[in-house]
Coordinates of all heavy atoms in Angstrom, one line a residue:
M1 N 0.8 -1.2 0.0 CA 0.0 0.0 0.0 C 0.9 1.2 0.0 O 1.0 1.9 1.0 CB -0.9 0.0 1.3 CG -2.2 -0.7 1.0 SD -3.6 0.4 1.1 CE -3.8 0.4 2.9
D2 N 1.5 1.5 -1.1 CA 2.2 2.8 -1.1 C 1.5 3.7 -2.1 O 1.3 3.3 -3.3 CB 3.7 2.7 -1.4 CG 4.0 1.8 -2.5 OD1 3.1 1.2 -3.2 OD2 5.2 1.6 -2.8
N3 N 1.0 4.8 -1.6 CA 0.3 5.7 -2.5 C 1.3 6.7 -3.2 O 2.0 7.3 -2.5 CB -0.8 6.4 -1.8 CG -0.5 6.6 -0.3 OD1 0.6 6.2 0.1 ND2 -1.4 7.3 0.4
G4 N 1.2 6.8 -4.4 CA 2.0 7.8 -5.1 C 3.3 7.2 -5.6 O 3.5 7.0 -6.7
K5 N 4.2 6.9 -4.6 CA 5.5 6.4 -5.0 C 5.5 4.9 -5.3 O 5.4 4.1 -4.5 CB 6.5 6.7 -3.9 CG 7.6 7.7 -4.4 CD 8.7 7.8 -3.3 CE 9.7 8.8 -3.8 NZ 10.8 9.0 -2.9
R6 N 5.6 4.6 -6.6 CA 5.7 3.3 -7.0 C 7.1 2.9 -7.4 O 7.8 3.7 -8.0 CB 4.9 3.0 -8.3 CG 3.5 2.6 -7.9 CD 2.8 2.2 -9.2 NE 1.4 2.0 -9.0 CZ 0.6 1.7 -10.0 NH1 1.0 1.5 -11.2 NH2 -0.7 1.5 -9.8
S7 N 7.5 1.7 -7.0 CA 8.8 1.2 -7.5 C 8.4 0.2 -8.6 O 7.5 -0.5 -8.5 CB 9.6 0.6 -6.4 OG 8.9 -0.5 -5.8
I8 N 9.3 0.2 -9.6 CA 9.0 -0.7 -10.7 C 9.8 -1.9 -10.6 O 11.0 -1.9 -10.3 CB 9.3 0.1 -12.0 CG1 8.3 1.2 -12.2 CG2 9.3 -0.8 -13.2 CD1 8.8 2.3 -13.1
E9 N 9.2 -3.0 -10.8 CA 9.9 -4.3 -10.7 C 10.6 -4.7 -12.0 O 10.0 -4.7 -13.0 CB 8.9 -5.4 -10.2 CG 9.6 -6.4 -9.4 CD 8.6 -7.3 -8.7 OE1 7.8 -7.9 -9.4 OE2 8.6 -7.3 -7.5
A10 N 11.8 -5.2 -11.8 CA 12.5 -5.6 -13.0 C 13.1 -7.0 -12.7 O 13.3 -7.3 -11.5 CB 13.6 -4.6 -13.4
V11 N 13.4 -7.7 -13.7 CA 14.1 -9.0 -13.6 C 15.4 -9.0 -14.2 O 15.5 -8.6 -15.4 CB 13.2 -10.2 -14.2 CG1 13.9 -11.5 -14.0 CG2 11.8 -10.2 -13.5
C12 N 16.4 -9.3 -13.5 CA 17.8 -9.3 -14.0 C 17.9 -10.5 -15.0 O 17.6 -11.6 -14.6 CB 18.8 -9.4 -12.9 SG 20.5 -9.6 -13.5
P13 N 18.4 -10.2 -16.2 CA 18.5 -11.3 -17.2 C 19.7 -12.2 -16.9 O 19.9 -13.3 -17.4 CB 18.7 -10.6 -18.5 CG 19.3 -9.2 -18.1 CD 18.7 -8.9 -16.8
D14 N 20.6 -11.7 -16.0 CA 21.8 -12.5 -15.6 C 21.5 -13.4 -14.5 O 21.7 -14.6 -14.7 CB 22.9 -11.5 -15.3 CG 24.2 -12.1 -15.4 OD1 24.4 -13.1 -16.1 OD2 25.2 -11.6 -14.8
C15 N 21.0 -13.0 -13.4 CA 20.9 -13.8 -12.2 C 19.4 -14.2 -12.0 O 19.1 -15.1 -11.3 CB 21.4 -13.2 -11.0 SG 20.5 -11.7 -10.5
G16 N 18.5 -13.6 -12.8 CA 17.1 -13.9 -12.7 C 16.4 -13.4 -11.5 O 15.2 -13.7 -11.2
E17 N 17.1 -12.6 -10.7 CA 16.5 -12.1 -9.4 C 15.6 -10.9 -9.8 O 15.9 -10.1 -10.7 CB 17.5 -11.7 -8.5 CG 18.3 -12.8 -7.8 CD 17.4 -13.6 -6.9 OE1 16.6 -13.0 -6.2 OE2 17.5 -14.8 -6.8
K18 N 14.5 -10.7 -9.0 CA 13.7 -9.5 -9.2 C 14.3 -8.4 -8.3 O 14.7 -8.7 -7.2 CB 12.3 -9.8 -8.8 CG 11.5 -10.5 -9.8 CD 10.1 -10.6 -9.3 CE 9.2 -11.5 -10.2 NZ 7.9 -11.7 -9.7
F19 N 14.3 -7.2 -8.8 CA 14.6 -6.1 -8.0 C 13.8 -4.9 -8.4 O 13.2 -4.9 -9.5 CB 16.1 -5.8 -8.1 CG 16.6 -5.4 -9.4 CD1 16.7 -4.1 -9.8 CD2 17.0 -6.4 -10.3 CE1 17.2 -3.8 -11.1 CE2 17.5 -6.1 -11.6 CZ 17.5 -4.7 -12.0
S20 N 13.7 -3.9 -7.6 CA 12.8 -2.8 -7.9 C 13.7 -1.6 -8.3 O 14.7 -1.4 -7.7 CB 11.8 -2.5 -6.8 OG 12.5 -2.6 -5.6
I21 N 13.2 -0.8 -9.2 CA 13.8 0.4 -9.6 C 13.0 1.5 -9.1 O 11.8 1.6 -9.2 CB 13.9 0.5 -11.1 CG1 14.6 -0.8 -11.7 CG2 14.5 1.8 -11.6 CD1 14.5 -0.9 -13.2
R22 N 13.7 2.4 -8.4 CA 12.9 3.5 -7.7 C 12.6 4.6 -8.7 O 11.6 5.3 -8.6 CB 13.7 4.1 -6.6 CG 13.7 3.1 -5.4 CD 14.3 3.8 -4.2 NE 14.7 2.9 -3.2 CZ 15.4 3.2 -2.1 NH1 15.8 4.5 -2.0 NH2 15.7 2.4 -1.2
T23 N 13.5 4.9 -9.6 CA 13.2 5.9 -10.6 C 12.4 5.4 -11.7 O 12.3 4.2 -11.9 CB 14.6 6.5 -11.1 OG1 15.3 5.4 -11.7 CG2 15.4 7.1 -10.0
T24 N 11.8 6.3 -12.5 CA 11.1 5.9 -13.7 C 12.1 5.6 -14.8 O 12.9 6.4 -15.1 CB 10.2 7.0 -14.2 OG1 9.4 7.4 -13.1 CG2 9.4 6.6 -15.3
P25 N 12.2 4.3 -15.2 CA 13.2 4.0 -16.2 C 12.9 4.5 -17.5 O 11.8 4.8 -17.9 CB 13.1 2.4 -16.2 CG 11.7 2.1 -15.8 CD 11.3 3.2 -14.9
E26 N 13.9 4.7 -18.3 CA 13.8 5.2 -19.6 C 14.6 4.2 -20.5 O 15.6 3.6 -20.1 CB 14.4 6.6 -19.8 CG 13.6 7.7 -19.1 CD 14.4 9.0 -19.2 OE1 15.2 9.2 -20.1 OE2 14.1 9.8 -18.4
V27 N 14.2 4.1 -21.7 CA 14.9 3.2 -22.7 C 16.3 3.8 -22.8 O 16.5 4.9 -23.1 CB 14.2 3.2 -24.0 CG1 15.0 2.4 -25.1 CG2 12.8 2.5 -23.9
G28 N 17.2 2.8 -22.7 CA 18.6 3.2 -22.8 C 19.3 3.5 -21.5 O 20.5 3.7 -21.4
Q29 N 18.5 3.6 -20.4 CA 19.0 3.8 -19.1 C 19.8 2.7 -18.6 O 19.5 1.5 -18.8 CB 17.9 4.1 -18.1 CG 18.4 4.5 -16.7 CD 17.2 4.8 -15.8 OE1 16.1 5.1 -16.2 NE2 17.4 4.5 -14.5
R30 N 20.9 3.0 -18.0 CA 21.8 1.9 -17.5 C 21.5 1.6 -16.0 O 21.4 2.6 -15.2 CB 23.2 2.3 -17.7 CG 23.6 2.1 -19.1 CD 25.0 2.6 -19.3 NE 25.4 2.3 -20.7 CZ 26.6 2.7 -21.2 NH1 27.4 3.5 -20.5 NH2 26.9 2.4 -22.5
I31 N 21.4 0.4 -15.7 CA 21.1 0.0 -14.4 C 22.1 -1.1 -14.0 O 22.4 -1.9 -14.8 CB 19.6 -0.6 -14.3 CG1 18.6 0.6 -14.6 CG2 19.3 -1.2 -13.0 CD1 17.2 0.1 -14.8
T32 N 22.4 -1.1 -12.7 CA 23.3 -2.2 -12.2 C 22.4 -3.1 -11.3 O 21.8 -2.6 -10.4 CB 24.5 -1.6 -11.4 OG1 25.1 -0.7 -12.2 CG2 25.4 -2.7 -11.0
C33 N 22.5 -4.4 -11.6 CA 21.7 -5.3 -10.8 C 22.3 -5.3 -9.4 O 23.5 -5.5 -9.2 CB 21.8 -6.7 -11.4 SG 21.1 -8.0 -10.4
P34 N 21.4 -5.1 -8.4 CA 21.9 -5.1 -7.0 C 22.2 -6.5 -6.5 O 22.8 -6.6 -5.4 CB 20.7 -4.5 -6.2 CG 19.5 -4.9 -7.1 CD 19.9 -4.9 -8.5
N35 N 21.9 -7.5 -7.2 CA 22.2 -8.8 -6.8 C 23.5 -9.4 -7.3 O 24.3 -10.0 -6.6 CB 21.0 -9.8 -7.1 CG 19.7 -9.3 -6.5 OD1 19.6 -9.3 -5.3 ND2 18.8 -9.0 -7.4
C36 N 23.7 -9.2 -8.6 CA 24.9 -9.7 -9.2 C 25.8 -8.7 -9.8 O 26.8 -9.0 -10.4 CB 24.5 -10.8 -10.2 SG 23.8 -10.1 -11.7
W37 N 25.4 -7.4 -9.8 CA 26.2 -6.3 -10.3 C 26.4 -6.4 -11.8 O 27.4 -5.9 -12.3 CB 27.5 -6.2 -9.5 CG 27.3 -5.9 -8.1 CD1 27.4 -6.8 -7.0 CD2 26.9 -4.7 -7.5 NE1 27.1 -6.2 -5.9 CE2 26.8 -4.9 -6.1 CE3 26.6 -3.4 -8.0 CZ2 26.4 -3.9 -5.2 CZ3 26.3 -2.4 -7.1 CH2 26.2 -2.6 -5.8
A38 N 25.5 -7.0 -12.4 CA 25.6 -7.0 -13.9 C 25.2 -5.6 -14.4 O 24.3 -5.0 -13.9 CB 24.7 -8.1 -14.5
Y39 N 25.9 -5.2 -15.4 CA 25.5 -4.0 -16.1 C 24.4 -4.2 -17.0 O 24.5 -5.0 -18.0 CB 26.8 -3.4 -16.9 CG 27.8 -2.9 -16.0 CD1 29.0 -3.7 -15.8 CD2 27.7 -1.8 -15.2 CE1 30.0 -3.2 -15.0 CE2 28.7 -1.3 -14.4 CZ 29.9 -2.1 -14.3 OH 30.9 -1.7 -13.5
L40 N 23.3 -3.5 -16.8 CA 22.1 -3.7 -17.6 C 21.7 -2.4 -18.2 O 22.0 -1.3 -17.8 CB 21.0 -4.3 -16.7 CG 21.4 -5.6 -15.9 CD1 20.3 -5.9 -14.9 CD2 21.6 -6.7 -16.9
Q41 N 20.8 -2.6 -19.2 CA 20.3 -1.4 -19.9 C 18.8 -1.7 -20.2 O 18.4 -2.8 -20.5 CB 21.1 -1.3 -21.2 CG 20.8 0.1 -21.9 CD 21.8 0.3 -23.0 OE1 22.4 -0.6 -23.5 NE2 21.9 1.6 -23.4
V42 N 18.1 -0.6 -20.0 CA 16.6 -0.8 -20.3 C 16.4 -0.7 -21.8 O 16.9 0.2 -22.5 CB 15.9 0.4 -19.7 CG1 14.4 0.3 -20.0 CG2 16.1 0.4 -18.2
I43 N 15.8 -1.8 -22.3 CA 15.5 -1.8 -23.8 C 14.0 -1.8 -24.1 O 13.6 -1.6 -25.2 CB 16.2 -3.0 -24.4 CG1 15.6 -4.3 -23.8 CG2 17.7 -3.0 -24.3 CD1 15.9 -5.5 -24.7
G44 N 13.2 -1.9 -23.0 CA 11.8 -1.8 -23.3 C 11.1 -1.4 -22.0 O 11.5 -1.7 -20.9
L45 N 10.0 -0.7 -22.1 CA 9.3 -0.2 -20.9 C 7.9 -0.9 -20.7 O 7.4 -0.9 -19.6 CB 9.1 1.3 -21.1 CG 10.3 2.1 -21.1 CD1 10.0 3.6 -21.3 CD2 11.1 2.0 -19.8
N46 N 7.4 -1.5 -21.7 CA 6.0 -2.0 -21.5 C 5.9 -3.4 -22.2 O 5.4 -3.5 -23.3 CB 5.0 -1.0 -22.1 CG 3.6 -1.2 -21.5 OD1 3.4 -2.0 -20.6 ND2 2.6 -0.6 -22.1
P47 N 6.3 -4.4 -21.5 CA 6.8 -4.4 -20.1 C 8.2 -4.0 -20.0 O 8.9 -3.9 -21.0 CB 6.6 -5.9 -19.7 CG 6.8 -6.6 -21.0 CD 6.3 -5.8 -22.1
L48 N 8.7 -3.8 -18.8 CA 10.1 -3.5 -18.6 C 11.0 -4.6 -19.0 O 10.8 -5.7 -18.5 CB 10.3 -3.1 -17.1 CG 11.7 -2.6 -16.8 CD1 12.0 -1.3 -17.5 CD2 11.8 -2.3 -15.3
V49 N 11.9 -4.3 -19.9 CA 12.8 -5.4 -20.3 C 14.2 -4.9 -20.1 O 14.6 -3.7 -20.5 CB 12.6 -5.7 -21.8 CG1 13.6 -6.8 -22.2 CG2 11.2 -6.2 -22.0
L50 N 15.1 -5.7 -19.5 CA 16.5 -5.3 -19.4 C 17.3 -6.3 -20.2 O 17.0 -7.4 -20.4 CB 16.8 -5.5 -17.9 CG 16.1 -4.6 -16.9 CD1 16.6 -4.9 -15.5 CD2 16.3 -3.1 -17.2
E51 N 18.4 -5.7 -20.7 CA 19.4 -6.5 -21.4 C 20.7 -6.1 -20.9 O 20.9 -5.1 -20.2 CB 19.3 -6.2 -22.9 CG 18.4 -7.1 -23.7 CD 18.9 -8.6 -23.7 OE1 20.1 -8.8 -23.2 OE2 18.2 -9.4 -24.2
W52 N 21.7 -7.0 -21.2 CA 23.0 -6.7 -20.8 C 23.5 -5.4 -21.5 O 23.3 -5.2 -22.7 CB 24.0 -7.8 -21.1 CG 23.8 -9.0 -20.2 CD1 24.4 -9.2 -19.0 CD2 22.9 -10.1 -20.4 NE1 24.0 -10.3 -18.4 CE2 23.1 -10.9 -19.2 CE3 22.0 -10.5 -21.4 CZ2 22.3 -12.1 -19.1 CZ3 21.3 -11.6 -21.2 CH2 21.5 -12.4 -20.1
D53 N 24.1 -4.6 -20.7 CA 24.6 -3.4 -21.3 C 25.8 -3.7 -22.2 O 26.6 -4.6 -21.9 CB 25.1 -2.4 -20.2 CG 25.4 -1.0 -20.7 OD1 25.1 -0.8 -21.9 OD2 25.9 -0.2 -19.9
S54 N 25.9 -3.0 -23.3 CA 27.0 -3.3 -24.2 C 28.2 -2.4 -23.9 O 28.4 -1.4 -24.5 CB 26.6 -3.1 -25.6 OG 25.8 -2.0 -25.8
L55 N 28.9 -2.7 -22.8 CA 30.0 -1.9 -22.4 C 31.2 -2.3 -23.2 O 31.3 -3.4 -23.7 CB 30.3 -2.1 -20.9 CG 29.5 -1.3 -19.9 CD1 30.0 -1.6 -18.5 CD2 29.6 0.2 -20.2
D56 N 32.2 -1.4 -23.3 CA 33.4 -1.8 -23.9 C 34.0 -3.0 -23.1 O 34.2 -2.9 -21.9 CB 34.4 -0.6 -23.7 CG 34.8 0.0 -25.1 OD1 34.0 -0.3 -26.0 OD2 35.7 0.7 -25.1
P57 N 34.4 -4.0 -23.8 CA 35.0 -5.2 -23.1 C 36.3 -4.8 -22.4 O 36.7 -5.5 -21.5 CB 35.2 -6.2 -24.3 CG 34.7 -5.6 -25.5 CD 34.2 -4.2 -25.3
E58 N 36.9 -3.8 -22.9 CA 38.2 -3.4 -22.3 C 37.9 -2.7 -21.0 O 38.8 -2.7 -20.1 CB 38.9 -2.4 -23.3 CG 39.1 -2.9 -24.7 CD 40.2 -3.9 -24.8 OE1 41.3 -3.6 -24.3 OE2 39.9 -5.0 -25.3
D59 N 36.8 -2.2 -20.8 CA 36.5 -1.3 -19.7 C 36.1 -2.2 -18.5 O 35.0 -2.4 -18.2 CB 35.4 -0.3 -20.0 CG 35.2 0.7 -18.9 OD1 36.2 1.0 -18.2 OD2 34.2 1.3 -18.9
E60 N 37.1 -2.6 -17.8 CA 36.8 -3.5 -16.6 C 37.3 -2.9 -15.3 O 37.3 -3.6 -14.3 CB 37.5 -4.9 -16.9 CG 36.8 -5.7 -17.9 CD 37.4 -7.0 -18.1 OE1 38.4 -7.3 -17.4 OE2 36.9 -7.8 -18.9
E61 N 37.6 -1.7 -15.4 CA 38.0 -1.0 -14.1 C 36.8 -0.9 -13.2 O 35.9 -0.2 -13.5 CB 38.7 0.3 -14.4 CG 40.0 0.2 -15.1 CD 40.3 1.4 -15.9 OE1 39.5 1.7 -16.8 OE2 41.3 2.1 -15.6
F62 N 36.9 -1.5 -12.1 CA 35.8 -1.6 -11.2 C 36.0 -0.7 -10.0 O 35.0 -0.2 -9.5 CB 35.5 -3.0 -10.8 CG 34.1 -3.3 -10.6 CD1 33.1 -3.0 -11.6 CD2 33.6 -3.8 -9.4 CE1 31.8 -3.3 -11.4 CE2 32.3 -4.1 -9.2 CZ 31.4 -3.8 -10.1
G63 N 37.2 -0.6 -9.5 CA 37.4 0.1 -8.3 C 38.0 1.5 -8.5 O 38.8 1.9 -7.7
D64 N 37.5 2.1 -9.5 CA 38.0 3.5 -9.8 C 37.2 4.5 -8.9 O 36.1 4.9 -9.3 CB 37.8 3.7 -11.2 CG 38.5 5.0 -11.7 OD1 39.5 5.4 -11.0 OD2 38.0 5.6 -12.6
E65 N 37.8 4.8 -7.8 CA 37.1 5.7 -6.9 C 37.8 7.0 -6.6 O 37.5 7.7 -5.7 CB 36.8 5.0 -5.6 CG 35.8 4.0 -5.7 CD 35.6 3.3 -4.3 OE1 36.1 3.8 -3.3 OE2 34.9 2.3 -4.3
S66 N 38.8 7.3 -7.5 CA 39.6 8.5 -7.2 C 38.7 9.7 -7.2 O 38.8 10.6 -6.4 CB 40.6 8.7 -8.3 OG 40.0 9.0 -9.5
Ligands
ZN101 ZN1 21.5 -9.9 -11.5

């Protein structure tokens, strides 16, 4: 029973876990799965469809926090 603020449910194509997105997703938006940290991208909104983000394979720097 939350009035107004809806979270949108998505299914990670990598680990298959459901998670909710707080913001309103847009096509092309990049999302990181909170369960497996897969880089995902929104490719459809109705229904919400996620696909693996097509990142540069070279770009594997994960701990870049400078
Ligand atoms: Zn996942």
Side-chain angles (χ1 to χ4, degrees):
M1 272 246 278
D2 47 3
N3 31 359
K5 243 189 180 179
R6 267 192 191 177
S7 59
I8 295 163
E9 207 166 64
V11 179
C12 174
D14 200 19
C15 65
E17 290 289 325
K18 282 185 187 172
F19 62 93
S20 45
I21 301 170
R22 287 191 196 171
T23 58
T24 305
E26 291 175 21
V27 172
Q29 183 179 333
R30 284 174 173 173
I31 294 171
T32 307
C33 173
N35 300 299
C36 69
W37 297 102
Y39 291 108
L40 306 171
Q41 192 167 20
V42 178
I43 60 163
L45 292 178
N46 202 7
L48 184 63
V49 181
L50 299 177
E51 266 294 352
W52 287 272
D53 191 8
S54 45
L55 277 182
D56 245 17
E58 307 284 308
D59 190 21
E60 286 181 0
E61 288 154 301
F62 211 56
D64 189 28
E65 288 181 9
S66 69

